[in-house]
Amino acid sequence: MEALRIEEPGKEDIYTIEDIYALPDGERAELIDGKLYNMAPPKTRHQRLLNYLNTEINLYIRSNNGECEVFPAPFAVFINKDNKNYVEPDISVICDGNKISERGCEGAPDWIIEIVSPGSRQMDYYRKLFKYRTAGVRLYWVVDPGKELVTVYNFEKDTMEEYPFGEEVPVAIYEGFSIRVQD
């Protein structure tokens, strides 16, 4: 993901959610603190991981009569309830039904998963990490197919752990639930 070019040198444009909705058909971007970041179309491996994780989480929630809902991308998350922040996490798990509207999620999801693409590495590991932590996300997973590694940030306990693909990764917001991330 790259920030959109600013046309006037030295001028810092501040974009809003209205700019997101004004993008040409087929173009997607995220908005963090007023800066637009283009989103490249995902590759096949990314989509396979997304489908696998989405299915595993949905099956667990359904089999345990859970109240949380799972939304795969593209799904709008208005992370700060302002007009300068808009993200589309690969997976958003929302346990407070009051946050769900026809627009998307109004506020921080409980659990966010981002699947790293070559162009999203800095965004997923740095910008979004800070944004999600300060917005109130409880659990953030960075699934990195290139490194075959899952980095788990549990913001409630202020911990970070890494799990190689093939190992069980515990889901901190659900006691007794873990996912073996693999292709």
Side-chain angles (χ1 to χ4, degrees):
M1 279 183 201
E2 295 180 20
L4 292 178
R5 290 191 181 150
I6 298 171
E7 298 196 14
E8 293 179 42
K11 181 179 181 237
E12 287 288 326
D13 286 337
I14 300 296
Y15 294 93
T16 66
I17 290 170
E18 289 75 29
D19 295 307
I20 291 286
Y21 287 115
L23 290 171
D25 285 346
E27 282 190 34
R28 290 176 50 214
E30 291 180 304
L31 180 66
I32 297 180
D33 298 327
K35 292 188 181 190
L36 277 175
Y37 297 90
N38 289 324
M39 297 175 68
K43 305 281 187 217
T44 301
R45 187 175 188 196
H46 179 282
Q47 291 304 95
R48 284 183 177 138
L49 282 165
L50 175 66
N51 186 44
Y52 171 76
L53 291 166
N54 185 60
T55 300
E56 292 296 305
I57 298 164
N58 268 309
L59 288 172
Y60 177 83
I61 291 171
R62 284 185 195 160
S63 67
N64 288 280
N65 298 314
E67 295 183 11
C68 301
E69 289 189 67
V70 185
F71 295 92
F75 180 72
V77 175
F78 303 92
I79 195 88
N80 287 122
K81 296 185 180 180
D82 63 16
N83 71 343
K84 294 183 183 111
N85 289 281
Y86 167 98
V87 291
E88 290 184 9
D90 289 311
I91 296 177
S92 300
V93 179
I94 303 155
C95 300
D96 179 354
N98 293 322
K99 290 184 179 180
I100 300 169
S101 73
E102 285 303 309
R103 288 188 338 152
C105 180
E106 309 286 341
D110 293 87
W111 177 17
I112 287 179
I113 299 174
E114 294 285 6
I115 301 167
V116 177
S117 300
S120 73
R121 185 168 300 285
Q122 187 168 357
M123 179 70 86
D124 295 336
Y125 279 107
Y126 300 104
R127 282 186 188 92
K128 287 185 176 179
L129 172 65
F130 177 76
K131 180 54 64 183
Y132 294 160
R133 180 186 190 111
T134 58
V137 172
R138 296 167 55 199
L139 185 63
Y140 177 41
W141 284 19
V142 179
V143 177
D144 193 330
K147 294 180 179 180
E148 295 196 349
L149 189 69
V150 180
T151 305
V152 176
Y153 298 93
N154 183 335
F155 297 135
E156 290 181 318
K157 293 186 177 180
D158 199 28
T159 61
M160 185 276 289
E161 296 180 82
E162 295 181 328
Y163 299 87
F165 277 24
E167 278 190 20
E168 293 286 333
V169 182
V171 179
I173 64 171
Y174 296 114
E175 191 172 325
F177 178 39
S178 63
I179 300 174
R180 184 183 312 269
V181 178
Q182 55 197 13
D183 284 309

